[in-house]
Amino acid sequence: MSAISTDDLLNGYINGIFPMAEADGTIYWYSPNPRAIIPIDTYKPSKSLRPVLNKKYFDIRIDTDFEGVMRGCALPRASEPGTWISEEIIASYTALHELGYAHSVEAWREDRLVGGLYGVSINGVFFGESMFTIESNASKVAFHYLIQLLKLNRFALLDTQFINDNVLRYGAIEIPRDEYLDQLHKALKLRRQFNGAVLSEL
């Protein structure tokens, strides 16, 4: 099966749909109802995470190993029987990354990638895709810095697709699809950039 074109990916996202691969490699497009989002302005780090943040235990980098983050996210998990991130999905999003639309927030320690997340950025929207962690708290710290980046760059919407225990810990809520599409179309009109350099202001 061939990779999805970057045009198809971008057209899907701006219309509220996204792809996932099944175990046999077949790719389907989804538009959940309700849709899960994470309100950017109301996020607060948990009390247990604050000491980790204060100690700056991880080196946070932006877009230095995008494919490495995707492959980390594709690793088998004890709670999930398979992965929706196929080789075709990796190729498609890596191509989108090379065009400047897909980004990774990475947690490194001792020059080793130990966690992170990736997603798609279009104007005022960040579409979160997946995260992984090898060391405790690595993905939580990466998410914390994603939120700071989105705040500093004045993003309006953080889409997280489906509700689950992982995104609930970050404050995810569900809204009706029609409401999501309304927020999406408004946020897409905003001229915003995913500029990782703003993190140096923190």
Side-chain angles (χ1 to χ4, degrees), residues 31-125:
S31 177
N33 188 21
R35 185 78 167 232
I37 65 168
I38 298 176
I40 297 169
D41 291 335
T42 58
Y43 162 82
K44 292 182 180 179
S46 65
K47 290 183 179 179
S48 62
L49 188 63
R50 289 171 192 167
V52 180
L53 294 168
N54 292 336
K55 290 178 182 177
K56 298 191 181 299
Y57 190 71
F58 300 103
D59 175 24
I60 299 299
R61 306 178 189 177
I62 307 296
D63 290 340
T64 64
D65 189 2
F66 180 84
E67 185 175 336
V69 171
M70 283 205 74
R71 293 195 177 280
C73 293
L75 292 172
R77 306 182 190 198
S79 60
E80 299 173 11
T83 178
W84 60 269
I85 303 174
S86 64
E87 286 298 321
E88 290 78 14
I89 291 284
I90 291 173
S92 297
Y93 282 83
T94 300
L96 201 62
H97 168 68
E98 291 169 356
L99 292 177
Y101 288 103
H103 300 279
S104 56
V105 181
E106 308 152 8
W108 293 72
R109 196 170 77 83
E110 297 178 351
D111 215 31
R112 175 173 174 249
L113 179 64
V114 294
L117 59 88
Y118 77 96
V120 175
S121 171
I122 307 175
N123 291 344
V125 188

Side-chain angles (χ1 to χ4, degrees), residues 110-175:
E110 297 178 351
D111 215 31
R112 175 173 174 249
L113 179 64
V114 294
L117 59 88
Y118 77 96
V120 175
S121 171
I122 307 175
N123 291 344
V125 188
F126 188 80
F127 305 87
E129 283 297 325
S130 188
M131 59 175 59
F132 83 104
T133 190
I134 293 173
E135 291 196 10
S136 180
N137 292 314
S139 62
K140 294 178 184 177
V141 172
F143 181 82
H144 174 82
Y145 281 96
L146 169 68
I147 289 287
Q148 307 316 306
L149 191 158
L150 297 180
K151 285 181 177 179
L152 290 167
N153 285 309
R154 296 182 297 121
F155 273 64
L157 181 61
L158 172 52
D159 171 35
T160 190
Q161 301 174 349
F162 298 106
I163 204 80
N164 56 45
D165 290 342
N166 186 47
V167 297
L168 278 170
R169 70 162 59 101
Y170 300 115
I173 61 172
E174 288 186 310
I175 60 175

